[in-house]
Amino acid sequence: MSNKQARSVQAERIPLKARRVSFAWEDTPLHWVPGDPFTTHTINVLHLLLPAGERWFVHVYRQALPLIRDDRLREDVIGFIGQEAMHSQAHDEVLPHLREQGLDPTPYTAQVDWFFEKLLGDRTLPPGRARRWWLLERIALIAAIEHYTAFLGDWVLNAAELDRRGADPTMLDLLRWHGAEEVEHRSVAFDLFVHVDGDYRRRVRTWALAFAALMFLWQRGARFFMAHDPTLVDGKASFRAFHRSGRRGTLPATGALLKSIPRYLSRTYHPSQEGSTAQAVAYLASSPAALAAEKAERDA
């Protein structure tokens, strides 16, 4: 990244804060995108993946704090931890609503918990090089995952087709509040990785693992939801359906997803090249949930 780009990135950085949002789900229908259970359930996978994944982010980053030698980056990481903890809680609170509608996600969430807590969790390693290596691997994994959460955040902020199709406003606010914060803090994970390591080979290796794991878990979650939706007979999910939904604008376009790969793998990549901080901040200034959280904080 050039000095000019670095100054631009520094100029647009804003203090990160956790917004203590809450959502009421009693009026949200099972198919919150009307007449489109596939889009509904493909996006619903977020509620299954994110609570465990973001708790894992927080756990790893608390271990990483002693490695940070830059005060501004430390401040950003602490803000990131607060936001990710709230994201986990907000998506976790959707799950009881799904159970009430006849969709119990427990069999799937148990697998996701195992993935993050056991496969990617702490290991019994001797202090020193081995323990540091495992921490650096996980920091790099989070940087790769955050590339895609920022990609999704930018997409949902601009997914006007969901509005045109009458998607539930409460669910859209959850997704866009979360997406806006992902865009807002999109550089933190990558900046932390560069600060503590930055090895390009590690970046490529962990990207491959993160991308493969996300694709596997996401399609598995969509298939789980479609198969267990009590209103569907022989409900199925497929990559063809995903591609069609992307062409309609109700899900990310396959081409846009694929084009994001070489951007991350470029040696000149920086997350500031993705999305718009101004757009994210503008949404957070108008989000019903974020405004309610701000009012509650003022009144406390």
Side-chain angles (χ1 to χ4, degrees):
M1 186 167 55
S2 69
N3 290 334
K4 182 178 180 181
Q5 287 175 309
R7 288 194 297 270
S8 175
V9 172
Q10 184 72 17
E12 75 165 1
R13 289 173 72 180
I14 57 176
L16 300 175
K17 64 177 182 179
R19 299 166 177 87
R20 299 188 177 280
V21 298
S22 61
F23 301 88
W25 297 112
E26 57 269 14
D27 296 327
T28 298
L30 177 61
H31 300 153
W32 54 265
V33 182
D36 193 346
F38 177 74
T39 291
T40 294
H41 291 322
T42 300
I43 298 176
N44 274 347
V45 176
L46 287 169
H47 309 312
L48 309 184
L49 287 177
L50 292 179
E54 291 179 313
R55 285 193 298 269
W56 176 72
F57 289 2
V58 169
H59 177 74
V60 172
Y61 272 23
R62 283 175 176 159
Q63 294 180 25
L65 283 172
L67 303 180
I68 301 174
R69 302 174 303 280
D70 179 270
D71 290 341
R72 183 62 183 269
L73 179 58
R74 176 185 292 274
E75 178 185 325
D76 286 346
V77 169
I78 291 171
F80 178 99
I81 287 172
Q83 289 188 339
E84 293 296 313
M86 277 306 306
H87 298 168
S88 174
Q89 178 180 318
H91 285 278
D92 214 12
E93 290 173 354
V94 180
L95 301 186
H97 179 64
L98 294 176
R99 293 188 186 96
E100 290 170 3
Q101 296 179 313
L103 260 176
D104 182 5
T106 304
Y108 182 83
T109 55
Q111 297 174 27
V112 175
D113 289 344
W114 176 87
F115 179 80
F116 285 106
E117 293 175 10
K118 302 298 182 183
L119 189 63
L120 296 180
D122 294 339
R123 297 180 179 178
T124 305
L125 297 169
R129 182 175 297 180
R131 191 173 295 181
R132 181 182 174 88
W133 177 87
W134 182 229
L135 179 57
L136 294 179
E137 286 289 296
R138 293 184 293 172
I139 290 171
L141 272 171
I142 294 172
I145 294 170
E146 282 288 298
H147 173 64
Y148 289 102
T149 58
F151 170 85
L152 292 172
D154 181 55
W155 172 79
V156 78
L157 285 172
N158 294 285
E161 187 62 25
L162 292 176
D163 300 275
R164 284 192 285 269
R165 290 175 181 254
D168 177 72
T170 302
M171 187 64 77
L172 277 183
D173 189 35
L174 166 64
L175 296 171
R176 286 176 173 157
W177 155 76
H178 184 173
E181 290 198 345
E182 291 296 334
V183 172
E184 185 182 44
H185 71 221
R186 66 193 182 280
S187 297
V188 175
F190 189 81
D191 287 347
L192 176 60
F193 166 65
V194 171
H195 180 73
V196 299
D197 180 60
D199 181 72
Y200 181 73
R201 291 168 300 177
R202 176 173 272 130
R203 171 147 64 102
V204 172
R205 182 176 67 250
T206 52
W207 165 82
L209 175 58
F211 184 78
L214 286 173
M215 293 300 102
F216 174 77
L217 291 171
W218 211 301
Q219 59 84 25
R220 190 174 177 85
R223 289 175 177 172
F224 175 87
F225 269 135
M226 291 295 287
H228 291 84
D229 185 320
T231 70
L232 301 178
V233 178
D234 195 29
K236 293 181 179 179
S238 67
F239 286 110
R240 180 177 295 179
F242 181 90
H243 180 69
R244 286 199 304 266
S245 296
R247 289 174 65 88
R248 291 195 295 261
T250 55
L251 288 174
T254 305
L257 181 61
L258 294 176
K259 287 177 183 177
S260 73
I261 296 172
R263 291 203 302 275
Y264 186 75
L265 296 181
S266 168
R267 288 184 180 271
T268 62
Y269 169 81
H270 190 268
S272 59
Q273 302 160 3
E274 308 280 334
S276 164
T277 299
Q279 183 185 32
V281 170
Y283 184 79
L284 292 168
S286 64
S287 158
L291 289 172
E294 185 178 342
K295 182 178 184 301
E297 186 176 341
R298 287 197 309 267
D299 296 344

